[in-house]
Amino acid sequence: MMKMGVHTLATIAILALASSLTYASDPSPLQDFCVAINDPALFVNGKFCRDPMLATADDFFFPGLNIPRSTANSLGSNVTLLDVTKIPGLNTLGVSLARIDFAPYGLNPPHTHPRATEILVVVEGIIYVGFVSSFPANRLFTKLLYPGDVFVFPEGLIHFQFNVANTTGVTFSGLGSQSPGLIVIANNVFGSTPPISPDVLTKAFKLDKNVVEFLQKEFYTTS
């Protein structure tokens, strides 16, 4: 009964996101729907639309989000993002959905979504979450979440999720964009292509140059 209640709560949270955050970042649709055409030769702000008469139910469908994903990696987490690339019917609708699986003590590291607010609901595990406000305050907002708890991460702010339980964890997130974007702070800074000059990172992070070069090698191979 407890699990059923939590799953119901997850559904309510996602529906709430759909009704309240549709206008958070993406422009409003000018028709009922605009099923995306994946043409790598065309670049626009969003996706071109398929003829609506050719749309099918499968354009709005993704199966199997109930299936746990592997967390056998150094972070102990796995994010399954259902954005417009996975569900073409999301094009112009301004929402997407993510499932995050956590191993015991698994981490979804500090990152940002440049185009989306995120609302997260915990289904399993005990998840320590937080976000940092922008300069000059740089305030850290944190909370320990249990199954059924919900937390919001404002658009563009650095945030994280960490399963502090010795059991697996599962969360679901609604995001206010069909393509929320992802910047993983450490990967982007230390694993960029080509690499940022070690002199820049040494001065910016007040680190020894040997440490910076070590981190660049580590993150470049895992990015």
Side-chain angles (χ1 to χ4, degrees):
M1 287 292 289
M2 170 69 75
K3 246 183 192 180
M4 179 134 5
V6 170
H7 283 288
T8 303
L9 225 119
T11 304
I12 292 169
I14 301 309
L15 288 173
L17 176 94
S19 62
S20 63
L21 293 183
T22 298
Y23 305 108
S25 186
D26 295 351
S28 305
L30 298 177
Q31 62 283 316
D32 288 344
F33 51 82
C34 171
V35 174
I37 298 172
N38 290 314
D39 187 338
L42 301 172
F43 294 90
V44 294
N45 186 25
K47 300 275 188 181
F48 282 106
C49 304
R50 183 183 304 160
D51 181 342
M53 297 307 294
L54 300 178
T56 70
D58 284 341
D59 292 321
F60 303 88
F61 172 76
F62 182 91
L65 200 59
N66 61 311
I67 300 169
R69 270 57 177 178
S70 172
T71 55
N73 55 61
S74 59
L75 292 171
S77 67
N78 191 325
V79 179
T80 304
L81 175 64
L82 303 185
D83 61 5
V84 69
T85 63
K86 299 284 181 61
I87 305 177
L90 284 176
N91 195 35
T92 76
L93 299 186
V95 291
S96 53
L97 174 68
R99 172 186 172 127
I100 311 176
D101 289 275
F102 297 88
Y105 309 110
L107 171 69
N108 190 21
H111 62 281
T112 74
H113 302 294
R115 295 180 291 276
T117 294
E118 176 180 353
I119 182 168
L120 175 144
V121 60
V122 177
V123 176
E124 296 176 18
I126 303 171
I127 312 297
Y128 174 64
V129 301
F131 68 84
V132 181
S133 68
S134 59
F135 179 83
N138 295 331
R139 288 186 62 197
L140 174 64
F141 296 79
T142 64
K143 197 77 177 170
L144 200 59
L145 305 183
Y146 296 87
D149 289 345
V150 174
F151 197 81
V152 174
F153 305 99
E155 180 175 341
L157 297 187
I158 295 172
H159 59 283
F160 60 85
Q161 298 100 14
F162 179 43
N163 181 23
V164 298
N166 62 0
T167 57
T168 58
V170 178
T171 65
F172 288 90
S173 290
L175 298 114
S177 172
Q178 68 181 42
S179 181
L182 175 65
I183 298 172
V184 181
I185 307 306
N187 296 59
N188 279 53
V189 171
F190 293 104
S192 66
T193 305
I196 299 172
S197 165
D199 294 328
V200 172
L201 298 180
T202 297
K203 190 159 189 172
F205 290 95
K206 298 179 174 60
L207 295 172
D208 184 271
K209 193 169 183 178
N210 291 326
V211 174
V212 168
E213 290 173 344
F214 170 78
L215 289 171
Q216 287 185 308
K217 286 178 184 173
E218 281 289 300
F219 282 99
Y220 185 77
T221 56
T222 58
S223 293

